[in-house]
Amino acid sequence: MIQANEIAAAFGLPCLLSGDMQTALQLWEDLYQNRANWQKERVKPLRLPAMIARELKRLTLTEFVLDTKDTELQLPLQHTKQMLRQKLDYGIASGGLLLKPYYHNGLQIDFVAQNQYLPVRYTNDACTAVICPEELVLEKRCYTRLEFHQFDERARTHTIQQRCFRSPTPGTLGLECDLTEVPQWANLLPQKTYYDVSQPLFAMFQMPEANNIDPTSPLGVSAYADAVDLIHDADVHWERILWELESSERAIDASEDLFRFHPGTNQPILPKGRERMYHCLEKTGTGNTIFNTFSPEIRDTSYFNALNQILRRIESAAGLSYGTLSEVSDVEKTAEEIKSSKQRSFVRVSDIQGNLQAALEQLLYGFQYYRDYYANRHTKPAEVSCTFGDGVLEDTDKEFQRRLQMVQARVLKPELLLSWYFGCEEAEALQMLPEQQDAGGLFDGGAF
């Protein structure tokens, strides 16, 4: 990818990405794509970074509901919801995600991971200008399109600039050229300004933790930023386990007079599929026949216990509860330890959900502005309904049984149980209740 300094310089802007932050962004992407620099022929990755990101995405979106009363905006929001289930883990792994709406035969949206865009201006900790590069190879030439979004709070404008660069080699901008040189970009306007805009027409989701790579940077950090060294230890230790199992495989050393030999090749004929097990030795001069079995004790218990401890530390560093990656059956844990572990995961996921909700609220503004602009009308500000549920910390089935017992004990109204379970209003839940409950029914705790 083209250096951030070169992209910012093309617009005469300072680069907000330090060298340490650029290195970290590349490292997080390499880990997510299983390209860690410590991987060798024998050291294979356990794919822990992708597992961490996908698990946090699953916990974040398990009971996710996204809705709005504006029926015209409902379709693009549902498309956004579907795309989040595919893209959010990449944003969690890279530290953030840019949600960029646009209008092309209807409302559309682009999802851009944090390592693929360049923020160039912040106001009150909110990003107001960003550059999104796109690279394309055409007839042995490398073209780069820089899409520059700039929001001006005082002028209440949002300006989008499109610039194209041509280079003979990848990784550099080269010389500026016309957009029409690339057929895919020929219809793009070099500049477009939208007026009467109250906030940027893009939204940013960022991981909630403070940036400990570069404290001066406003960018987020990867979900596994604090666990990189531990992930390295886990990958290396897994290779040790595989070598322990391979090196302790049973082998038989036997004299050559115990084997039959192939007449054409004069090689011993070994049992098919068990060639590795048998070692043919020359017959000793004493006339004694050698037959030794090599079957050492496997030290798997100690090795797996060590791996489990590393995985538990990764869970702690990544904000996951114990048992997400590690085995908990062999560790005696108190109820308080289990609760504390789940609470850690709950807090982390809740923070992610809060940042995602803020980004979706700003995204809805972008959707509505583009819709009204190209339809030449003005509508009231739409509101997004964004709920995530509480299934991260609480078992829904157990909670249902607990509330059902309260209904049967006549300390909770049945309609309140149905309202909670189906996520509807109490009046709607009343319509679901049968007109008359038979004795011994679901909501009947027994005869009194």
Side-chain angles (χ1 to χ4, degrees), residues 109-305:
I109 183 173
D110 277 342
F111 289 80
V112 187
Q114 185 172 257
N115 60 336
Q116 296 176 356
Y117 65 84
L118 178 64
V120 291
R121 185 179 298 122
Y122 278 83
T123 304
N124 297 327
D125 292 333
C127 183
T128 57
V130 64
I131 302 174
C132 299
E134 181 183 357
E135 297 179 66
L136 187 146
V137 178
L138 189 65
E139 296 180 354
K140 297 182 180 181
R141 293 179 178 178
C142 301
Y143 290 90
T144 303
R145 178 176 64 90
L146 299 182
E147 182 177 304
F148 180 30
H149 288 252
Q150 182 175 204
F151 169 68
D152 189 328
E153 186 176 7
R154 290 186 177 182
R156 292 176 59 84
T157 61
H158 185 104
T159 303
I160 303 176
Q161 296 182 41
Q162 306 276 1
R163 296 175 64 182
C164 185
F165 295 82
R166 179 182 62 243
S167 173
T169 58
T172 59
L173 277 181
L175 300 176
E176 187 167 5
C177 62
D178 197 272
L179 288 166
T180 56
E181 288 194 21
V182 181
Q184 293 90 326
W185 304 335
N187 295 327
L188 295 176
L189 294 176
Q191 181 167 318
K192 173 70 176 177
T193 300
Y194 297 93
Y195 296 92
D196 196 21
V197 183
S198 60
Q199 54 184 295
L201 296 180
F202 57 80
M204 275 190 178
F205 160 75
Q206 289 182 337
M207 292 295 287
E209 289 76 20
N211 192 327
N212 58 352
I213 306 297
D214 180 6
T216 63
S217 174
L219 294 178
V221 296
S222 170
Y224 46 81
D226 294 335
V228 172
D229 292 338
L230 294 169
I231 292 172
H232 165 264
D233 294 341
D235 287 348
V236 173
H237 190 72
W238 180 247
E239 190 277 331
R240 295 192 188 105
I241 293 176
L242 296 180
W243 172 246
E244 173 69 15
L245 298 175
E246 180 181 349
S247 62
S248 60
E249 288 184 1
R250 179 179 299 171
I252 296 176
D253 300 325
S255 302
E256 59 183 6
D257 57 343
L258 297 178
F259 294 90
R260 291 182 299 168
F261 285 78
H262 194 282
T265 62
N266 200 30
Q267 296 294 322
I269 301 175
L270 303 178
K272 189 175 183 180
R274 295 291 184 268
E275 292 85 357
R276 185 188 181 282
M277 180 183 295
Y278 295 92
H279 301 160
C280 181
L281 304 179
E282 293 184 4
K283 189 175 181 180
T284 62
T286 61
N288 296 327
T289 298
I290 300 176
F291 188 89
N292 295 326
T293 300
F294 173 78
S295 183
E297 180 181 357
I298 302 177
R299 300 168 295 173
D300 58 331
T301 302
S302 299
Y303 277 92
F304 278 109
N305 285 342

